[in-house]
Amino acid sequence: MELFKTYRLWDIEPVRGLGTALWDKDGKEYTDLYGGHAVISIGHSHPHYVKMLSEQLSKLGFYSNAVQNSLQKELARRLGKACGYDDYSLFLCNSGAEANENAMKLASFHTGKGRILAFGKSFHGRTSGAVAATDNPKLRSPFNATSNVTFVPLNDLDSTEKELSSGEYAGVIIEGIQGVAGIYEPSDEFLKELRRLCSAYGAMLILDEIQSGYGRTGKFFAHQFSGIRADIITTAKGMGNGFPIGGVLITPEIKAEYGMLGTTFGGNHLACTAALAVLDVIENEHLVENAAKTGEYFRTAFHPGGHLHKVLKEYRGKGLMIGLEIKDEYAGLRDRLLFEKHYFTGAAGAHVIRLLPSLTISQKTAEGFMAAVESLA
């Protein structure tokens, strides 16, 4: 048997990591400014993370959700305190797609309605309901096709209100910042009006913070820059620093019923321990503040008048969720950064480089990346 060839793979195999550094099987060192799709929030092999997971594994790695698990309760308490939603409840699952599936299901359960409003260029996952709310027909098989999701352009208030005024929508799902699309932000004004419209027309506001959450933007969740509160928030990726875990933060308005949601692996002992270790490091090392500070350093270097602005069409994003839209003549810059300068970055199409580094990134590492770009420009 061989692997199903669904990924395009670089001919590089990382075998060891520490902080923002990676080493391949031949001993070559790379700098990781992508974190495996925004997953590595506190750096590779952080000693506190390794210690906590090792100790937990030596005691108990897994048991089902049919028994008490005090780690789940501690995680709910700590996460609520960290993000400012301490009056909400938490459902634990395994991934971002699963979190979004459950969020839309909760909105439908609560309102009794069956439709979801989503936005152009959105990405919410690859499972059935999540991919139906993802604006990329290439990812949807005929089985995934649904007439229960409508897409409108991001930041188009008139189209949004026209749809919501029908009263048919259980919820609106929107990314705090669109990641896969190439780092596009809903404006603060749009989010404020969206909050008002959802309340006016009886729809749950679902904020997908899977990529944009956990301190990446300089706030715990990206939507908090606008001052609004969502009804349901989904999180994953940086939540476990590589250990699979996802979560749904749920407004007190939605009342739980036994059997409404469920999962085999969600909230297991190792996953909760990983998430608690992440929160420890984020708090103790002031990583939300570091994301804001280092993100501003990146922005300053690339802004009009900055010494690297010549390579850009546009700089997008907040904090350490960065999209660099590159001018046509620099379209091969990402490949050159990887193979000539040994920097891992992400992409969105041929002309957008995505930077999603660990929140522990130092200014020295950021300066090294700037020097690498300058040497190739």
Side-chain angles (χ1 to χ4, degrees), residues 222-253:
H223 72 270
Q224 291 174 318
F225 281 97
S226 70
I228 68 163
R229 282 172 72 84
D231 297 306
I232 304 172
I233 304 157
T234 57
T235 184
K237 291 196 183 292
M239 186 176 185
N241 200 54
F243 200 100
I245 185 170
V248 187
L249 284 67
I250 305 161
T251 175
E253 290 181 38

Coordinates of all heavy atoms in Angstrom, one line a residue, residues 222-253:
A222 N -9.4 37.7 16.6 CA -9.2 38.9 15.7 C -10.5 39.7 15.8 O -10.4 41.0 15.7 CB -9.0 38.4 14.3
H223 N -11.7 39.2 16.0 CA -12.9 40.0 15.9 C -12.9 41.0 17.1 O -13.7 41.9 17.1 CB -14.1 39.1 15.9 CG -14.4 38.4 17.2 ND1 -13.9 37.1 17.5 CD2 -15.2 38.8 18.3 CE1 -14.4 36.8 18.7 NE2 -15.1 37.7 19.2
Q224 N -12.1 40.7 18.1 CA -12.1 41.6 19.3 C -11.6 43.0 19.0 O -11.8 43.9 19.8 CB -11.4 40.9 20.5 CG -12.1 39.7 21.0 CD -11.4 38.9 22.0 OE1 -10.2 38.7 21.9 NE2 -12.1 38.5 23.1
F225 N -10.9 43.2 17.9 CA -10.5 44.5 17.5 C -11.7 45.4 17.2 O -11.7 46.6 17.4 CB -9.6 44.5 16.2 CG -8.2 44.1 16.5 CD1 -7.8 42.8 16.3 CD2 -7.3 45.1 16.9 CE1 -6.5 42.5 16.5 CE2 -6.0 44.7 17.1 CZ -5.6 43.4 17.0
S226 N -12.8 44.8 16.8 CA -14.0 45.6 16.5 C -14.9 45.9 17.7 O -15.9 46.6 17.6 CB -14.9 44.8 15.4 OG -15.5 43.6 16.0
G227 N -14.6 45.2 18.8 CA -15.4 45.4 20.0 C -16.7 44.7 20.1 O -17.5 44.9 21.0
I228 N -17.0 43.8 19.1 CA -18.2 43.0 19.2 C -18.0 41.7 20.0 O -16.9 41.3 20.3 CB -18.7 42.6 17.7 CG1 -17.7 41.6 17.1 CG2 -18.9 43.9 16.9 CD1 -18.3 40.9 15.9
R229 N -19.1 41.0 20.3 CA -19.1 39.7 20.8 C -19.9 38.8 19.9 O -21.0 39.1 19.4 CB -19.7 39.7 22.2 CG -18.8 40.2 23.3 CD -19.5 40.4 24.7 NE -19.8 39.1 25.3 CZ -18.9 38.5 26.1 NH1 -17.6 38.9 26.2 NH2 -19.2 37.4 26.7
A230 N -19.3 37.6 19.7 CA -20.0 36.6 18.8 C -20.9 35.7 19.6 O -20.7 35.7 20.9 CB -18.9 35.8 18.1
D231 N -21.8 35.1 19.0 CA -22.6 34.1 19.7 C -21.9 32.7 19.8 O -22.1 32.0 20.8 CB -23.9 33.9 18.9 CG -24.8 35.1 18.9 OD1 -25.1 35.7 19.9 OD2 -25.2 35.5 17.7
I232 N -21.1 32.4 18.8 CA -20.4 31.1 18.8 C -19.0 31.4 18.2 O -18.9 32.2 17.2 CB -21.1 30.1 18.0 CG1 -22.5 29.8 18.5 CG2 -20.3 28.8 18.0 CD1 -23.4 28.9 17.6
I233 N -18.0 30.9 18.8 CA -16.6 31.1 18.3 C -16.0 29.7 18.1 O -16.1 28.9 19.0 CB -15.8 31.9 19.3 CG1 -16.5 33.3 19.6 CG2 -14.4 32.2 18.7 CD1 -16.0 33.9 20.9
T234 N -15.3 29.5 17.0 CA -14.6 28.3 16.8 C -13.1 28.5 16.8 O -12.6 29.5 16.4 CB -15.0 27.6 15.5 OG1 -14.8 28.5 14.4 CG2 -16.5 27.2 15.5
T235 N -12.4 27.5 17.4 CA -11.0 27.6 17.5 C -10.3 26.2 17.3 O -11.0 25.2 17.5 CB -10.6 28.2 18.8 OG1 -9.1 28.4 18.9 CG2 -11.0 27.4 20.0
A236 N -9.1 26.2 16.9 CA -8.3 25.0 16.7 C -6.9 25.4 16.5 O -6.3 26.2 17.2 CB -8.9 24.1 15.6
K237 N -6.2 24.8 15.5 CA -4.8 25.1 15.0 C -3.9 25.5 16.2 O -3.4 24.6 16.9 CB -4.9 26.2 14.0 CG -5.5 25.8 12.6 CD -5.1 26.7 11.5 CE -5.8 26.2 10.2 NZ -5.2 25.0 9.7
G238 N -3.7 26.7 16.5 CA -2.7 27.1 17.6 C -3.1 26.7 19.0 O -2.3 26.8 19.9
M239 N -4.3 26.2 19.1 CA -4.8 25.8 20.4 C -4.0 24.6 21.1 O -3.8 24.6 22.3 CB -6.3 25.3 20.3 CG -7.0 25.0 21.6 SD -8.8 24.6 21.2 CE -9.4 24.4 22.9
G240 N -3.5 23.7 20.3 CA -2.7 22.6 20.8 C -1.3 22.5 20.4 O -0.6 21.6 20.7
N241 N -0.8 23.5 19.6 CA 0.6 23.6 19.2 C 1.0 22.3 18.4 O 2.2 21.9 18.5 CB 1.5 23.8 20.4 CG 2.9 24.4 20.0 OD1 3.0 25.4 19.3 ND2 3.9 23.7 20.4
G242 N 0.1 21.7 17.7 CA 0.4 20.5 17.0 C -0.3 19.3 17.4 O -0.5 18.3 16.6
F243 N -0.8 19.3 18.7 CA -1.7 18.2 19.1 C -3.1 18.5 18.7 O -3.6 19.6 18.9 CB -1.6 18.0 20.6 CG -2.1 16.6 21.0 CD1 -1.1 15.6 21.3 CD2 -3.4 16.3 21.1 CE1 -1.6 14.4 21.7 CE2 -3.8 15.0 21.4 CZ -2.9 14.1 21.7
P244 N -3.8 17.6 18.0 CA -5.1 17.9 17.4 C -6.1 18.2 18.5 O -6.4 17.4 19.4 CB -5.5 16.6 16.7 CG -4.2 15.9 16.4 CD -3.3 16.2 17.6
I245 N -6.7 19.4 18.5 CA -7.8 19.8 19.4 C -8.5 20.9 18.7 O -7.9 21.8 18.0 CB -7.2 20.2 20.8 CG1 -8.4 20.4 21.7 CG2 -6.2 21.3 20.7 CD1 -8.0 20.6 23.2
G246 N -9.8 21.0 18.9 CA -10.6 22.1 18.5 C -11.6 22.4 19.6 O -11.9 21.6 20.5
G247 N -12.2 23.6 19.5 CA -13.2 24.0 20.5 C -14.3 24.9 19.9 O -14.0 25.6 18.9
V248 N -15.4 24.8 20.5 CA -16.5 25.7 20.2 C -16.9 26.5 21.5 O -17.3 25.8 22.5 CB -17.8 24.9 19.7 CG1 -18.8 25.9 19.2 CG2 -17.3 24.0 18.5
L249 N -16.8 27.8 21.5 CA -17.3 28.6 22.6 C -18.7 29.1 22.3 O -19.0 29.6 21.2 CB -16.4 29.9 22.7 CG -15.0 29.6 23.3 CD1 -14.1 28.8 22.4 CD2 -14.3 31.0 23.6
I250 N -19.6 28.8 23.3 CA -21.0 28.9 23.0 C -21.7 29.8 24.0 O -21.6 29.7 25.2 CB -21.6 27.5 23.2 CG1 -20.9 26.5 22.3 CG2 -23.1 27.4 22.9 CD1 -21.1 25.0 22.7
T251 N -22.5 30.7 23.4 CA -23.2 31.7 24.2 C -24.2 31.1 25.2 O -24.7 30.0 25.0 CB -24.1 32.6 23.3 OG1 -24.9 33.5 24.1 CG2 -25.0 31.8 22.4
P252 N -24.3 31.7 26.4 CA -25.3 31.1 27.4 C -26.7 31.0 26.9 O -27.5 30.3 27.5 CB -25.2 32.2 28.5 CG -23.9 32.8 28.4 CD -23.6 32.9 26.9
E253 N -27.1 31.7 25.8 CA -28.4 31.6 25.2 C -28.7 30.2 24.7 O -29.9 29.8 24.7 CB -28.6 32.6 24.1 CG -28.6 34.1 24.5 CD -28.9 34.9 23.2 OE1 -29.6 34.5 22.3 OE2 -28.3 36.0 23.1

